[in-house]
Amino acid sequence: MRDESVTKAAVAVLGNLVHALGSNARNWLKDYTFCNEFFVECFDSNDEQLKETASWTQGMIGCVFAVSG
């Protein structure tokens, strides 16, 4: 398992990328298996900030797929 600070940074970067790319992020998120496994790891953590960041990132991903077009 990686250091939690690395996991926090990675989930934040993922969320920021999805936010910045918007619907263009759909193409590289088609294989959502990695993200699901990554989020499970985040939510299994005892770090509340990590859980909040992961939840925000999931929301960003959800928004990208909810947008029509």
Side-chain angles (χ1 to χ4, degrees):
M1 184 173 209
R2 75 189 72 77
D3 186 89
E4 275 197 350
S5 64
V6 173
T7 304
K8 274 188 216 180
V11 77
V13 167
L14 177 60
N16 288 331
L17 280 171
V18 171
H19 179 71
L21 293 173
S23 63
N24 292 323
R26 288 182 196 165
N27 291 332
W28 57 270
L29 287 172
K30 285 181 181 177
D31 179 16
Y32 198 69
T33 304
F34 164 77
C35 289
N36 284 335
E37 293 170 2
F38 187 54
F39 287 128
V40 166
E41 180 181 331
C42 292
F43 291 123
D44 282 347
S45 169
N46 291 327
D47 187 315
E48 289 304 316
Q49 185 181 15
L50 174 56
K51 290 178 185 180
E52 288 173 16
T53 304
S55 181
W56 173 79
T57 298
Q58 274 189 322
M60 288 292 101
I61 292 170
C63 288
V64 163
F65 283 99
V67 174
S68 61

